[in-house]
Amino acid sequence: MAAIYPSQLDTIYLRNLNIAAVIGPDAWGRKDKVQPIILNIRIKIDTSTSSTSDDINDTFSYGQMSKEITSQLDGKTFSNLQHLITVLTTFAAFWPGEDTKLQALAPKALLRVEGGLEVTHSIRKKDRYEENGVPQVRHVDTRSYSIKGLKLACIIGVNKHERLVKQSVNVDLRLPAIDPRTFEAKEGPSENWRTLVNRVCEVVEYSSFETLEALAARIAKTALDSFPVQEITVSVEKPSALSFVEGAGVEITRRKESYSGHADSERTSEASRPRMTLDQYKRTKAKSEATPRAGGTTTYPPMHQAPTIEQYTDMKRKGNGSEGHTGGSFRPSNASDF
């Protein structure tokens, strides 16, 4: 008697399927530029029949899946990365399986972000239905957006030598469950991702924390205060922290309500601390850099005297110093622009 195998869910997947498409403005803001897109697909499916019969007709061909994706997406034009994965989700509803996970990564979408911008969708069989004979998806179970590998430098650490020289930090951001209706604007998403990256750059590179926990919390609060998102996960890593460890870091998740009630006290605390003007800060920093200390190291003006990032941005806006990062505070005209 032939062996009877219990029905079980296994995984059919495509790893790093490379295509090229227009997904709105590129990292330099240029329109109609083709960008590389990397797709990863995982389908939970019952393979018990095909594993016994060894018949391709008893399973779902990954070759067929690859051809369909390429024909539908490669070389096409989309308003943004969200638009591309929404189209992918639409025809993935035709595929068999219980659960399907779709990931679209644009590795060159943002400057200073080595890992790129990634969008993830997950759809379940129970959320699929037919309308006039056409498969539809009622609900996308999980939807998340990630900015991976933001490379920055700042004063961070408790050791004496760490207070003298900026060191590298790697920052990852993950924003789950953003309502897809917030991406209706033609060019808003790409521009707002760039603004978010610029804002994080400002916060990190002008900071002087002793712990990664405090730095991660500041990044999270900045994103939640300035952008129409309800939750964010921030990962911050110091690759130079330990000699025989590739990286040491922390990962935190915060929601908007995590900071409710703290804004007024934080503003009062910040306002009570002595501050330089932006010009004074630059002159003091330049003088410090021009006067090496023992061992050839230099020191920077203490950050408790330097302008806050909010003050720095406001000074730039008023014309008191035009150099520096180009991404200022975010002023969304409508939450649907993000």
Side-chain angles (χ1 to χ4, degrees):
M1 178 182 295
I4 299 176
Y5 294 90
S7 176
Q8 60 184 14
L9 292 180
D10 300 309
T11 303
I12 294 176
Y13 65 89
L14 296 177
R15 182 171 62 87
N16 293 348
L17 170 60
N18 288 266
I19 64 170
V22 174
I23 52 168
D26 68 0
W28 298 96
R30 298 173 299 182
K31 300 179 180 179
D32 302 323
K33 290 290 184 179
V34 173
Q35 298 186 51
I37 309 295
I38 301 173
L39 301 174
N40 284 277
I41 318 295
R42 298 182 69 86
I43 299 178
K44 287 290 186 181
I45 193 169
D46 180 2
T47 67
S48 58
T49 301
S50 60
S51 62
T52 304
S53 67
D54 195 23
D55 188 340
I56 189 64
N57 294 314
D58 292 331
T59 186
F60 182 49
S61 168
Y62 47 77
Q64 175 187 340
M65 182 167 40
S66 176
K67 290 179 180 178
E68 185 172 0
I69 293 172
T70 302
S71 66
Q72 295 284 344
L73 304 180
D74 194 32
K76 303 298 174 54
T77 297
F78 305 92
S79 57
N80 48 64
L81 190 61
Q82 164 68 20
H83 181 198
L84 181 147
I85 201 170
T86 298
V87 172
L88 174 58
T89 302
T90 300
F91 64 81
F94 287 81
W95 298 343
E98 297 296 323
D99 296 281
T100 302
K101 184 177 182 180
L102 311 169
Q103 290 180 318
L105 171 66
K108 306 288 187 179
L110 298 167
L111 296 177
R112 306 184 70 178
V113 180
E114 292 190 0
L117 174 65
E118 183 179 77
V119 184
T120 301
H121 280 192
S122 295
I123 53 178
R124 296 176 296 181
K125 184 177 181 179
K126 70 176 186 178
D127 293 320
R128 301 172 183 174
Y129 68 99
E130 287 193 2
E131 186 175 291
N132 298 324
V134 179
Q136 304 285 342
V137 178
R138 178 180 298 106
H139 171 69
V140 179
D141 183 52
T142 303
R143 184 182 292 108
S144 65
Y145 306 84
S146 300
I147 294 174
K148 298 182 173 183
L150 182 55
K151 305 294 185 182
L152 302 171
C154 65
I155 298 294
I156 182 73
V158 298
N159 297 308
K160 184 176 180 180
H161 58 273
E162 292 182 301
R163 308 309 300 170
L164 300 176
V165 181
K166 287 187 176 184
Q167 61 178 297
S168 298
V169 292
N170 302 331
V171 178
D172 291 348
L173 308 174
R174 186 170 70 251
L175 299 90
I178 299 176
D179 190 328
R181 290 173 297 179
T182 64
F183 285 84
E184 290 176 355
K186 288 286 184 181
E187 299 174 9
S190 297
E191 182 60 37
N192 286 309
W193 290 126
R194 285 194 290 271
T195 305
L196 174 58
V197 168
N198 288 337
R199 190 75 174 92
V200 171
C201 288
E202 289 179 339
V203 168
V204 174
E205 294 186 331
Y206 287 89
S207 68
S208 180
F209 290 101
E210 292 190 351
T211 66
L212 289 176
E213 289 83 351
L215 176 58
R218 173 60 64 87
I219 294 171
K221 186 177 187 305
T222 298
L224 293 171
D225 284 350
S226 303
F227 296 86
V229 295
Q230 298 301 313
E231 180 179 306
I232 188 170
T233 296
V234 178
S235 173
V236 185
E237 179 180 283
K238 289 166 61 176
S240 303
L242 302 171
S243 299
F244 298 97
V245 178
E246 185 174 348
V250 300
E251 181 177 287
I252 67 169
T253 299
R254 297 288 185 271
R255 295 186 58 81
K256 276 192 183 295
E257 54 263 32
S258 303
Y259 298 102
S260 61
H262 298 291
D264 292 337
S265 60
E266 181 170 308
R267 281 195 294 269
T268 301
S269 174
E270 291 290 329
S272 65
R273 294 161 68 179
R275 300 287 173 187
M276 298 179 181
T277 67
L278 181 61
D279 288 337
Q280 288 173 330
Y281 175 65
K282 290 178 178 177
R283 285 196 298 269
T284 306
K285 180 179 176 182
K287 182 178 179 181
S288 177
E289 290 175 335
T291 310
R293 290 193 171 191
T297 60
T298 60
T299 185
Y300 292 91
M303 284 304 295
H304 73 276
Q305 294 180 353
T308 64
I309 189 61
E310 289 80 8
Q311 291 171 326
Y312 175 77
T313 303
D314 187 57
M315 290 173 182
K316 286 201 305 178
R317 187 179 297 108
K318 293 178 179 178
N320 185 9
S322 58
E323 61 271 34
H325 293 289
T326 57
S329 298
F330 183 65
R331 297 282 191 273
S333 59
N334 190 306
S336 65
D337 290 338
F338 189 69

